[in-house]
Amino acid sequence: MTTSSHEQDSALEQAIRLVLAFLPQDRQATPTEVANGVDMVWTMQHSQGLVLEKELLLKEIQSRVVVWQDDSVGLKDDRNHVEWLTEAQLERSWDFWDRYRRYLEDVRLMPPRVVRRLDQSTDRILRQLEDPQRPGAWRRTGLVVGQVQSGKTGNYIGLACKAADAGYKLIVILAGIHNSLRSQTQLRVDEGLLGFDTQYQQRYDENKNTARIGVGVMPGVKRLRIASLTNSAETGDFRRHVASNLNLPIGDYPVVLVIKKHQSILEYVRKWVVEVEGEPTGDGVTKVVRDIPLLVIDDEADNASIDTTKDEEADPTRINASIRHLLNSFDKAAYVGYTATPFANIYIRPDADHERFGLDLFPDSFIESLPAPSNYLGPERVFGLRSDDPDEDDVEALPIFRPVDDHESWMPRRHKKEWVPPDDLPESLCEALDAFVLTCAARRARGQVRQHNSMLVHVTRFMNVQNLVRDQIDEYISLMRDRLRDSMGGEAGQVLAHLRELWNRDFAPTTAKFPSEEAGPVSWQDVQMELRPALLKIEVRAINGSSRDALEYYEHRRTGVSVIAVGGNKLSRGLTLEGLSISYYLRASNTYDTLLQMGRWFGYRPGYEDLCRLYTTPDLRKAYAEITAADNELRREFEEMSALGETPESFGLRVRASSAGLAVTAANKMRRGIKVRLSYSGELPETTIFSLRPEVLRHNFDNLDRFIALLGTGYTRETAGKSLVWREVAPADIIDGFLDGYVADRGSYRVRPAFIAEYIRRCAALGELSRWTVRLVSAPGREVKIGAHKIGLVKRQPPTGGSEKRPIEGDRFIIKRVLNPADESRDLAPELQELALAATRVARRAWAERKGKKYKEPNVPTGQSLRKFRPAQEPLLIIYPIEHPQQSANHDRLPVVGFAISFPFSKHPTETEYVVNEIWKQQEIDYYDDEDPDE
């Protein structure tokens, strides 16, 4: 008796559910428990005549039980807030959440530990909202920070379930600015919250069993009272006549709307509710909706929701004003923004208010940070992360990056919307397309026949050009399909030989670098057998505002689709590309948040991480590595402030004043595009990226030589290492003598001498940073003459990648750190060093406990703990002359000049303002706003 593929898939899913049910739910299962559970279920199914591969079942279970997730951390401000959830959990039924939890565990087969974390994090968020049954008027505004493609949608559906259980009667989900994302989000809400397909049913009491989906079709579930005024069709956004015809009893049971962030739609919703349920206020003109608690969930809250007007006295921008007006029209309202890039939200002024529209959307009530599960393929794993912490290991980048340097004639970085790409695709794009065909075939060979496969092609923001690219790619795939159709023809042999060469050169050795339990090896013979069916399934689609093509993942969920998606901004915000494996990406941006959001390649890749590839330029790869470090720094800052019990407003002030903040988001979001606050208070800018161009090396070395000569003879020489130390140096000498003449590498986003110099000038005017210590580090080794002194060069190496050093990339030298941590405290008085060391030990112990790691007592004070005890007048400049990384015995190359500055905490960290565009102009940074829609 043969078993169909569909029956085998069903049997596997059923077996996974049974094994997971047998395993312990309150802890991680042991390997023995997993093996015993698999044996028992396999024997049971085998006795029923179901053919199931035991090794496949074991791998599936192992992949789920080993997944873990840290708890979320948060900042909160409990002013005017009443604790309520603990008591409510005992008194109210939580039916919406219970069935969603069952759906995630039993249908989506989500790892139990991840579901428990979801339960905990949504409780933490709900707890910070107000009790919907609390009398009187109230408002709560919060922000939830996840990572790109890490599961934020699942989290806010869980929050919506619990909010509906708690008593929120109107739930409005703002789902991006495009119909495609709104439709995709509505479908997720249908599955997880409503339980019915809103294209065919819009309220719980319509007897249309065929419309039931998701939580609505699980055995034994209750039919819960709920309705939706929007549906999952592309045209299913809110319409007033639909709402009027349904005549829902608002306030009787939860009503859900999933709408676009569009000013007109937001106003339609507000006017409809106010007209039906509003009561006059004291002025006799405006109306307010009383006793119908409103929850607004704002997906991608940093996009379109931010007020970007330049004049603080002017009305807010339209979408921002409409969201605020909706909230202001209810006496009980809660707003929760979700984003992976919170920079713009943190720049909102907490005190911004408007007579008509009310308070701005700064998350003054709470900010919650969601860690991603351990199986998340995030920026750190794609681009690597050099840790500044001596007790934390570097995160090595996965071997999936492939450089692109042949695209300029085909798709120049600067091109007009009339651009017509030449007929010949660049070799890199041809290879990426071949890689996608191989990936589809390899996944089929691994048994992933019915899973979705997607490829991203993002090379231009212009819709006309996107459509031309789609046609070119479609022709390439069609030609390959035609050539392989005749298995006996010579052209078929050439195509197969070409694909086999790529498989042997790239895929086979890459897969070998992954653990075998994560990526089982696949032979070329198995891949070759699946090439034709894989090719027949591939479609090429343009996803933009002018196309009718859509990503119909749900409609083909049982068979899977294979799609090459060509697009721009529609593919850059929130839209999930299911089964994304190959990305070909050329779109540049100068802001952290835009680049991170364009990274659709982040997410979950079970069973095919080794097949994923990112084709992009080396410059974009460096930018992403820099952004990853900045984002990680922001999250660590958040964790530290959370441990100290800080509020969202104090975090906002800190970030707005941070040196990391200047290039993180578009200028018009950083306080209306003219001035931003910036401070290096308590920070340690240090150079880690250096240009090796001879003219830059010569310039920086001569600049250092002149600076040391300027400092003169008033130095002391340390006994150990023979480093030179000057004290009581004036800030003007630091700026004019060193910083103004130093040329930083263009790839160094974090260390910009012009910003540092301006910060010093402004602090010096306030009486701070007045007495500098300069330390010129000397080490054993080759000596060079700097000023009148012989100085031994310091050695710094690129970070290691496994057992090998990372190669020097072009004319750039990248290191993990320039600072030797012990150097930062040498100038401090002994009593200050002791205080800083004690604070360092407290912080280190708390970090080790939170991470579950063994505590190692440090002997040297480090980081912010040290800089908190540095006197405000006494910063430290440490200069490192570094041996050229390509130094040879026969040729003396000029050294690389690096530096680090230990800045004390300022008493005026928020009082320093920069005219952004002027400084950007000085740095020759080409600014343009990437938030514009596709043209």
Side-chain angles (χ1 to χ4, degrees):
M1 174 180 170
T2 60
T3 307
S4 70
S5 297
H6 179 64
E7 289 174 332
Q8 287 179 337
D9 290 346
S10 299
L12 177 61
E13 291 177 3
Q14 182 184 13
I16 292 170
R17 293 191 195 98
L18 288 171
V19 176
L20 291 175
F22 283 127
L23 296 180
Q25 302 300 306
D26 57 343
R27 59 176 173 82
Q28 184 168 351
T30 65
T32 300
E33 289 171 333
V34 170
N36 290 340
V38 169
D39 284 340
M40 180 172 58
V41 171
W42 182 85
T43 303
M44 183 190 311
Q45 291 208 335
H46 191 70
S47 66
Q48 296 172 358
L50 293 173
V51 179
L52 188 64
E53 188 179 340
K54 185 188 289 189
E55 284 299 314
L56 179 60
L57 175 60
L58 180 62
K59 284 187 176 182
E60 290 288 341
I61 298 298
Q62 288 173 335
S63 70
R64 284 166 170 79
V65 299
V66 300
V67 175
W68 53 269
Q69 184 176 16
D70 286 337
D71 198 5
S72 61
V73 294
L75 308 174
K76 62 180 181 177
D77 189 338
D78 285 335
R79 287 177 295 179
N80 303 318
H81 175 58
V82 178
E83 164 58 33
W84 64 282
L85 186 58
T86 301
E87 187 174 341
Q89 285 175 326
L90 299 175
E91 296 176 344
R92 301 175 200 179
S93 64
W94 299 88
D95 293 332
F96 283 106
W97 165 252
D98 284 341
R99 73 176 189 178
Y100 182 55
R101 176 189 54 77
R102 281 185 53 199
Y103 174 71
L104 295 178
E105 291 180 343
D106 298 343
V107 179
R108 298 291 301 277
L109 301 177
M110 189 178 286
R113 297 175 77 189
V114 175
V115 177
R116 286 198 295 275
R117 287 300 190 202
L118 175 62
D119 188 10
Q120 293 166 352
S121 64
T122 48
D123 268 0
R124 287 174 61 103
I125 298 165
L126 185 67
R127 189 179 300 276
Q128 295 307 316
L129 303 183
E130 214 58 63
D131 182 357
Q133 297 182 10
R134 177 183 168 184
W138 44 260
R139 169 172 163 158
R140 297 287 285 175
T141 307
L143 181 70
V144 179
V145 182
Q147 298 213 43
V148 176
Q149 301 279 87
S150 67
K152 295 185 299 298
T153 305
N155 187 279
Y156 69 65
I157 291 175
L159 176 64
C161 288
K162 291 184 175 181
D165 286 322
Y168 280 88
K169 298 303 182 185
L170 185 61
I171 300 174
V172 178
I173 299 174
L174 309 179
I177 60 175
H178 297 294
N179 283 327
S180 52
L181 177 55
R182 192 214 66 81
S183 175
Q184 188 180 73
T185 303
Q186 176 81 61
L187 184 57
R188 294 282 302 276
V189 171
D190 291 358
E191 291 179 313
L193 173 59
L194 298 170
F196 48 81
D197 188 337
T198 47
Q199 291 193 44
Y200 307 101
Q201 178 176 338
Q202 291 195 270
R203 51 191 291 171
Y204 77 99
D205 51 0
E206 296 179 61
N207 292 316
K208 298 179 180 179
N209 290 327
T210 55
R212 303 213 164 270
I213 61 173
V215 295
V217 294
M218 292 190 302
V221 296
K222 298 179 184 177
R223 182 172 294 190
L224 302 179
R225 302 176 67 197
I226 195 167
S228 174
L229 292 174
T230 53
N231 69 66
S232 58
E234 283 270 323
T235 56
D237 214 327
F238 178 81
R239 297 187 180 186
R240 292 188 67 179
H241 73 274
V242 173
S244 299
N245 292 338
L246 279 174
N247 194 26
L248 293 173
I250 302 175
D252 187 12
Y253 54 78
V255 175
V256 180
L257 296 85
V258 181
I259 65 175
K260 284 198 309 293
K261 287 189 209 177
H262 191 283
Q263 183 248 349
S264 298
I265 294 171
L266 281 158
E267 275 300 296
Y268 291 155
V269 171
R270 190 194 66 81
K271 288 178 179 178
W272 165 72
V273 180
V274 170
E275 287 176 7
V276 175
E277 299 291 342
E279 299 177 14
T281 60
D283 62 12
V285 179
T286 58
K287 288 184 176 182
V288 66
V289 179
R290 302 190 190 281
D291 297 324
I292 296 180
L294 167 71
L295 171 61
V296 174
I297 295 174
D298 187 356
D299 194 11
E300 307 292 342
D302 63 314
N303 184 31
S305 301
I306 306 299
D307 177 17
T308 57
T309 53
K310 295 183 179 180
D311 183 359
E312 294 190 8
E313 301 301 319
D315 286 345
T317 46
R318 290 181 298 174
I319 293 177
N320 174 269
S322 297
I323 297 172
R324 291 160 67 176
H325 202 184
L326 175 63
L327 293 166
N328 214 30
S329 299
F330 286 73
D331 69 343
K332 305 176 192 296
Y335 169 91
V336 183
Y338 276 76
T339 183
T341 47
F343 309 110
N345 305 81
I346 292 167
Y347 278 109
I348 298 169
R349 280 195 304 119
D351 58 349
D353 202 350
H354 190 277
E355 182 179 0
R356 181 184 177 198
F357 304 122
L359 289 167
D360 207 343
L361 303 176
F362 179 80
D364 55 359
S365 301
F366 67 91
I367 305 175
E368 192 78 9
S369 178
L370 303 176
S374 58
N375 61 340
Y376 171 66
L377 182 64
E380 294 89 349
R381 297 185 65 208
V382 174
F383 300 104
L385 181 65
R386 299 187 302 276
S387 174
D388 292 341
D389 194 308
D391 289 337
E392 285 194 67
D393 297 329
D394 290 352
V395 179
E396 294 299 330
L398 293 177
I400 62 176
F401 163 72
R402 301 294 178 265
V404 175
D405 57 10
D406 60 352
H407 64 285
E408 193 63 30
S409 60
W410 177 71
M411 193 64 62
R413 178 177 178 180
R414 296 295 186 192
H415 60 270
K416 305 289 186 181
K417 62 183 177 182
E418 297 83 14
W419 173 253
V420 177
D423 291 337
D424 292 335
L425 296 177
E427 284 298 319
S428 58
L429 179 53
C430 294
E431 182 181 303
L433 294 169
D434 294 343
F436 182 61
V437 174
L438 288 172
T439 296
C440 293
R443 292 190 68 192
R444 292 177 66 89
R446 284 180 176 169
Q448 300 173 0
V449 177
R450 288 176 170 75
Q451 274 70 32
H452 298 306
N453 291 286
S454 298
M455 175 178 178
L456 165 69
V457 178
H458 189 163
V459 297
T460 175
R461 67 190 178 109
F462 299 115
M463 290 189 295
N464 290 339
V465 186
Q466 291 166 16
N467 294 334
L468 293 173
V469 171
R470 175 201 58 198
D471 294 342
Q472 289 183 324
I473 292 175
D474 190 48
E475 183 178 350
Y476 183 91
I477 294 296
S478 297
L479 185 59
M480 185 187 299
R481 192 182 292 128
D482 291 342
R483 286 175 172 173
L484 280 179
R485 186 172 297 157
D486 181 7
S487 59
M488 302 302 291
E491 290 186 339
Q494 293 174 9
V495 172
L496 288 173
H498 179 72
L499 292 174
R500 183 173 187 174
E501 187 276 331
L502 177 59
W503 178 263
N504 292 333
R505 168 171 53 88
D506 188 330
F507 282 83
T510 300
T511 296
K513 296 177 182 178
F514 284 73
S516 59
E517 64 271 15
E518 295 179 12
V522 182
S523 70
W524 166 250
Q525 288 72 22
D526 290 340
V527 172
Q528 181 176 339
M529 289 179 61
E530 299 290 348
L531 283 173
R532 290 183 184 84
L535 263 170
L536 288 172
K537 204 171 181 180
I538 293 174
E539 300 178 61
V540 185
R541 300 183 184 179
I543 310 300
N544 56 43
S546 69
S547 70
R548 293 184 177 181
D549 284 345
L551 299 170
E552 299 167 347
Y553 294 121
Y554 182 77
E555 288 80 356
H556 298 87
R557 62 192 180 280
R558 298 198 181 281
T559 58
V561 296
S562 295
V563 61
I564 299 173
V566 182
N569 280 357
K570 262 200 172 184
L571 297 178
S572 302
R573 275 282 179 177
L575 194 67
T576 299
L577 297 174
E578 301 283 354
L580 178 63
S581 55
I582 310 297
S583 299
Y584 189 87
Y585 177 75
L586 303 178
R587 178 81 176 275
S589 171
N590 293 316
T591 63
Y592 287 4
D593 50 2
T594 301
L595 273 175
L596 273 178
Q597 288 290 353
M598 288 182 177
R600 297 291 97 190
W601 44 82
F602 306 132
Y604 302 95
R605 308 286 182 262
Y608 65 102
E609 272 190 4
D610 62 310
L611 303 176
C612 295
R613 299 290 182 270
L614 171 59
Y615 287 82
T616 191
T617 66
D619 283 345
L620 275 168
R621 183 197 185 193
K622 293 187 183 83
Y624 271 105
E626 188 76 15
I627 292 164
T628 300
D631 187 57
N632 188 65
E633 182 178 314
L634 179 68
R635 293 173 192 274
R636 291 186 60 166
E637 180 85 8
F638 184 89
E639 288 183 10
E640 181 172 334
M641 295 188 77
S642 174
L644 295 173
E646 299 281 4
T647 66
E649 185 169 346
S650 61
F651 179 63
L653 292 173
R654 176 79 177 104
V655 172
R656 281 194 296 278
S658 169
S659 62
L662 194 61
V664 296
T665 190
N668 61 353
K669 293 180 182 177
M670 295 199 303
R671 201 55 267 145
R672 305 177 186 278
I674 299 177
K675 293 182 179 179
V676 294
R677 292 172 175 176
L678 173 65
S679 171
Y680 285 89
S681 172
E683 296 198 11
L684 183 89
E686 60 175 314
T687 50
T688 58
I689 303 177
F690 306 94
S691 172
L692 295 180
R693 288 185 296 156
E695 60 271 25
V696 174
L697 294 176
R698 169 55 65 186
H699 180 96
N700 283 340
F701 184 79
D702 290 347
N703 179 65
L704 174 60
D705 191 57
R706 288 190 297 268
F707 179 54
I708 298 304
L710 170 70
L711 294 178
T713 58
Y715 62 88
T716 58
R717 185 182 286 273
E718 295 177 347
T719 304
K722 299 183 178 181
S723 297
L724 304 183
V725 180
W726 289 262
R727 298 182 183 273
E728 302 287 333
V729 179
D733 291 339
I734 300 295
I735 296 169
D736 300 336
F738 183 71
L739 290 173
D740 280 353
Y742 186 91
V743 175
D745 185 84
R746 287 289 298 275
S748 179
Y749 291 81
R750 312 299 300 284
V751 178
R752 293 176 179 168
F755 297 163
I756 299 172
E758 183 65 15
Y759 172 71
I760 296 170
R761 290 188 186 97
R762 294 178 183 270
C763 286
L766 297 169
E768 295 184 337
L769 308 184
S770 55
R771 302 190 302 274
W772 283 72
T773 297
V774 177
R775 188 168 187 271
L776 178 62
V777 177
S778 180
R782 184 170 76 95
E783 294 184 340
V784 296
K785 186 177 180 182
I786 302 176
H789 314 282
K790 286 189 175 181
I791 300 296
L793 298 183
V794 173
K795 289 185 170 60
R796 293 289 184 268
Q797 299 293 345
T800 57
S803 61
E804 300 179 355
K805 294 175 183 175
R806 292 179 184 169
I808 293 171
E809 299 177 351
D811 56 5
R812 279 193 175 123
F813 177 39
I814 302 174
I815 62 176
K816 179 179 177 180
R817 297 203 71 178
V818 72
L819 178 79
N820 175 359
D823 291 340
E824 193 181 358
S825 59
R826 293 181 193 276
D827 65 310
L828 288 184
E831 61 272 18
L832 294 180
Q833 290 192 37
E834 286 300 318
L835 290 171
L837 180 57
T840 297
R841 287 171 175 170
V842 170
R844 173 62 51 200
R845 187 176 291 108
W847 175 87
E849 290 175 356
R850 189 175 67 249
K851 295 291 186 181
K853 296 193 175 185
K854 185 178 179 181
Y855 170 63
K856 299 178 183 177
E857 185 154 286
N859 297 316
V860 176
T862 57
Q864 289 197 38
S865 299
L866 187 151
R867 294 186 285 279
K868 284 176 181 175
F869 292 97
R870 179 174 290 282
Q873 290 76 30
E874 300 179 12
L876 169 67
L877 168 62
I878 312 171
I879 302 174
Y880 293 89
I882 304 169
E883 182 72 87
H884 193 291
Q886 297 170 326
Q887 177 66 29
S888 64
N890 301 322
H891 182 68
D892 291 340
R893 295 177 184 266
L894 282 172
V896 176
V897 177
F899 70 88
I901 301 179
S902 179
F903 279 110
F905 277 83
S906 170
K907 296 177 181 178
H908 313 280
T910 64
E911 297 182 4
T912 304
E913 285 192 336
Y914 280 64
V915 181
V916 175
N917 289 338
E918 289 183 4
I919 295 181
W920 282 16
K921 188 174 181 181
Q922 292 171 18
Q923 294 292 301
E924 298 181 343
I925 295 174
D926 182 23
Y927 167 75
Y928 61 95
D929 188 356
D930 284 289
E931 294 277 342
D932 290 342
D934 294 336
E935 295 184 28

